[in-house]
Amino acid sequence: MKLFNNCVRAPHLPQNNSWLNTDKPLSIKELKGRIIILDFWTYCCINCLHVLPDLKYLENKYQDSLTIIGVHSAKFENEKDIENIRQAIIRYDIEHPILVDNNFQVWQDYAVRAYPTLIVINPQGYIVASRIGEGKRDILEELIQQIIEQHTKQNTINFQQLNLTLEKQRSPIITPLSFPGKVLATNVGLFIADTGYNRIIHTSLTGEVFNIIGTGKAGLSDGNFTEAEFSAPQGMTFDSENQILYIADTNNHSIRQIDLIKQQVKTIAGTGKQSRNIHPHDGKGLETALNSPWDLVKVGKNLFIVIAGSHQIWKMDLDSNIIGTYAGTGAEACYDSNLVESVFAQPSGITTNGDELFIADSENSTIRGVGLRTLKGESAQVRTICGSGNLFEFGDKDGVGKDVLLQHCLGIEYADGNIWIADTYNHKIKCINPSTGECKTVLGNGEYGLQDGIGINARFSEPSGLSIFGNYLYIADTNNHVIRQVDVNSLEVTTLNFPGLCSPDFCIPTNLEY
């Protein structure tokens, strides 16, 4: 990676905007002598999230000479809220300063065009490089080393560590659950993806804890329930006949299975490394890299998986262990067509009625239908059930078909002829008729909070996962760090308690016999 020949001075950073992960605003002038990387991001964006581990690596390795500043330029209205940004910082363990750029002032000053964009500023305050997209760690490190070498010779680099006050230090999460992403209700109880604590919790439908699966440490290790490690697990699906739970282990870019009878965790797909190949392809499960699998559903002997990072739907044959693209080109948009030509945008939830897959297509804020080839033949099609289908057209509006406005919907569940969705950034639960595309708000008033009640009197905070069993709907109420239970007849919302459950740092997990 070469430095710009004609460098321009970096524009000033606004001092009156909100800053997080720091006690005071930072300026280019005050940081003179240090290398600066500006990361333009928004917390809904999967590509932006993929950049974070690379930034953490760089800021830890070059902490005496490098300052990373995240410039949060919100896409969705919900992402402009300071508390929501703070929650995202804690959720993704971001340890560098964040400048809130809600009016896109800094974005425009630096002529940014896309998420994510990385701007490199040298110790004398000049822009020396700009890169769009993820996967840039190696070229950034090469550039950092060049700058250090050059400015060490010139005696213009300031080797010292920057002290910061992080949001996770101000507001530590010590709740029993941490940012639960998905929940699954079954005939053997609830399974909770305790995403922030990197574990799976198995309880009764009323909250009695049966098992804590995973150490709580982020990692990719198979073994028994106290040895296994996950990294930000999300969606789950259950094979009741064989007592096997399948998990989309998102940050490990893997599919895992939990054998409840043998009490063993096993990796069945993914290499543990993120795939960079967005073109449709397939291969053997453990030899095929994945890209942020977010949710999955079992249909017959197949798993259907939403691969958020490559904007596709994948299928895994559980008999042959072959996994590959089922629908989606890998581009990011909303385009209805056949399976091969269709296009999605960060699909993050999946459910089925047995004839069709239903997808929460989060960045499009739409609900999509995907035909099942095994039942519909080679002419299976992708359709938009409701939502605008536009990456930058969103809101909160009930209605029919394309008149419906949603905001970054993540959770979806089919039951009794209806599709229930977690309209995540509207803090609501809505119900959709899959035939007509009619969408109605059922739970929540649109304001975030933790409040039990009936129907729209209840409040949620970025709910992300749904599951129905019997007469009850279960909700992973992510930013509230709780699971909510809803009587689908009365629409009464209550918050479940899990006696004895605590964070991995404050208790020793006790695994009970089934």
Side-chain angles (χ1 to χ4, degrees):
M1 183 176 181
K2 295 183 179 180
L3 305 179
F4 289 163
N5 291 324
N6 299 315
C7 300
V8 296
R9 185 169 290 281
H12 296 297
L13 300 178
Q15 302 296 287
N16 294 328
N17 288 33
S18 296
W19 288 75
L20 300 167
N21 268 357
T22 176
D23 286 330
K24 63 176 184 178
L26 302 178
S27 70
I28 303 295
K29 182 178 180 180
E30 289 174 338
L31 292 172
K32 185 176 181 180
R34 297 181 65 81
I35 304 166
I36 303 170
I37 295 180
L38 300 182
D39 171 33
F40 288 83
W41 71 299
T42 186
Y43 75 78
C44 69
C45 167
I46 190 70
N47 308 99
C48 300
L49 300 184
H50 287 161
V51 170
L52 295 177
D54 293 342
L55 297 181
K56 186 175 290 290
Y57 166 85
L58 294 172
E59 64 192 351
N60 287 336
K61 186 171 180 178
Y62 300 98
Q63 57 185 293
D64 62 343
S65 55
L66 172 67
T67 297
I68 294 174
I69 299 175
V71 182
H72 190 271
S73 306
K75 171 185 172 179
F76 290 101
E77 284 297 315
N78 182 67
E79 294 177 298
K80 294 180 178 180
D81 186 276
I82 298 299
E83 181 56 33
N84 292 339
I85 300 171
R86 179 179 289 110
Q87 290 292 318
I89 289 170
I90 297 171
R91 183 192 311 190
Y92 299 118
D93 195 26
I94 297 172
E95 297 181 310
H96 51 256
I98 300 294
L99 165 60
V100 179
D101 183 35
N102 281 343
N103 61 4
F104 281 76
Q105 175 189 340
V106 187
W107 176 286
Q108 293 170 1
D109 288 345
Y110 281 83
V112 174
R113 302 190 310 275
Y115 300 110
T117 292
L118 299 163
I119 304 285
V120 183
I121 302 169
N122 73 11
Q124 293 179 307
Y126 289 91
I127 297 174
V128 294
S130 175
R131 286 294 181 271
I132 296 173
E134 55 182 277
K136 302 295 190 292
R137 190 181 93 172
D138 290 344
I139 59 176
L140 285 172
E141 183 165 25
E142 179 185 352
L143 177 57
I144 289 168
Q145 291 170 349
Q146 289 179 34
I147 296 173
I148 290 175
E149 181 180 357
Q150 174 186 341
H151 286 268
T152 299
K153 292 178 181 178
Q154 298 173 357
N155 198 30
T156 52
I157 192 164
N158 181 11
F159 289 103
Q160 65 176 2
Q161 189 169 342
L162 188 67
N163 293 319
L164 301 170
T165 301
L166 304 179
E167 299 306 315
K168 66 180 180 181
Q169 297 168 336
R170 292 191 179 104
S171 306
I173 303 295
I174 318 177
T175 48
L177 300 172
S178 175
F179 298 105
K182 302 289 185 182
V183 62
L184 181 67
T186 73
N187 60 354
V188 297
L190 285 182
F191 294 98
I192 302 165
D194 194 8
T195 309
Y197 287 148
N198 306 298
R199 60 185 184 174
I200 305 296
I201 310 297
H202 181 201
T203 76
S204 71
L205 295 172
T206 56
E208 178 188 358
V209 178
F210 293 151
N211 253 297
I212 298 172
I213 307 168
T215 65
K217 178 184 176 182
L220 178 55
S221 297
D222 293 341
N224 64 39
F225 288 3
T226 58
E227 298 171 335
E229 293 177 338
F230 303 87
S231 185
Q234 288 281 349
M236 301 162 289
T237 189
F238 187 58
D239 178 349
S240 59
E241 180 180 352
N242 296 301
Q243 296 287 284
I244 292 176
L245 181 74
Y246 297 95
I247 304 110
D249 195 6
T250 303
N251 281 4
N252 279 324
H253 310 287
S254 299
I255 305 300
R256 316 289 292 281
Q257 73 171 35
I258 296 174
D259 188 320
L260 295 184
I261 298 173
K262 297 178 181 178
Q263 297 204 349
Q264 291 288 314
V265 178
K266 178 182 177 182
T267 303
I268 62 170
T271 64
K273 303 294 184 181
Q274 181 190 349
S275 171
R276 301 294 182 190
N277 182 5
I278 66 170
H279 301 292
H281 63 286
D282 61 22
K284 295 180 180 178
L286 293 175
E287 297 176 5
T288 304
L290 307 178
N291 192 342
S292 293
W294 209 274
D295 197 6
L296 70 176
V297 67
K298 185 174 182 289
V299 182
K301 295 184 178 181
N302 294 309
L303 295 179
F304 289 90
I305 309 154
V306 285
I307 307 290
S310 59
H311 315 293
Q312 292 167 328
I313 316 303
W314 278 40
K315 182 181 78 170
M316 182 173 185
D317 185 317
L318 293 172
D319 285 339
S320 67
N321 289 324
I322 298 297
I323 189 169
T325 312
Y326 180 73
T329 66
E332 184 179 12
C334 182
Y335 180 68
D336 292 342
S337 184
N338 56 44
L339 300 179
V340 175
E341 297 176 345
S342 59
V343 184
F344 301 85
Q346 203 172 310
S348 302
I350 187 169
T351 187
T352 186
N353 63 358
D355 294 325
E356 190 175 20
L357 303 171
F358 301 115
I359 311 295
D361 206 15
S362 65
E363 281 296 282
N364 283 322
S365 299
T366 62
I367 303 302
R368 316 287 293 280
V370 179
L372 287 168
R373 178 183 290 140
T374 53
L375 297 173
K376 296 292 186 180
E378 294 298 325
S379 62
Q381 298 288 306
V382 174
R383 66 187 179 110
T384 296
I385 297 171
C386 69
S388 69
N390 187 316
L391 279 167
F392 293 94
E393 187 176 353
F394 49 84
D396 184 5
K397 179 183 175 184
D398 292 350
V400 178
K402 288 188 177 294
D403 290 335
V404 173
L405 292 179
L406 307 172
Q407 190 179 181
H408 199 70
C409 41
L410 292 175
I412 191 165
E413 174 78 332
Y414 175 86
D416 299 325
N418 293 308
I419 302 171
W420 296 72
I421 67 164
D423 192 5
T424 306
Y425 284 3
N426 283 324
H427 315 290
K428 288 183 174 183
I429 309 301
K430 298 181 178 181
C431 199
I432 298 167
N433 183 318
S435 298
T436 65
E438 183 179 11
C439 176
K440 293 181 179 179
T441 297
V442 179
L443 305 169
N445 64 4
E447 297 182 20
Y448 67 79
L450 176 56
Q451 179 175 298
D452 290 342
I454 296 175
I456 61 172
N457 292 319
R459 289 188 183 182
F460 307 89
S461 185
E462 294 194 10
S464 302
L466 302 177
S467 187
I468 289 180
F469 187 81
N471 292 322
Y472 290 95
L473 168 70
Y474 296 87
I475 302 168
D477 195 4
T478 304
N479 278 10
N480 280 324
H481 314 290
V482 296
I483 303 298
R484 318 291 288 278
Q485 183 186 62
V486 184
D487 185 319
V488 296
N489 295 314
S490 67
L491 297 182
E492 181 178 6
V493 179
T494 56
T495 301
L496 282 181
N497 292 313
F498 300 97
L501 182 64
C502 52
S503 88
D505 294 332
F506 287 87
C507 66
I508 299 174
T510 299
N511 287 293
L512 307 176
E513 296 293 332
Y514 287 97

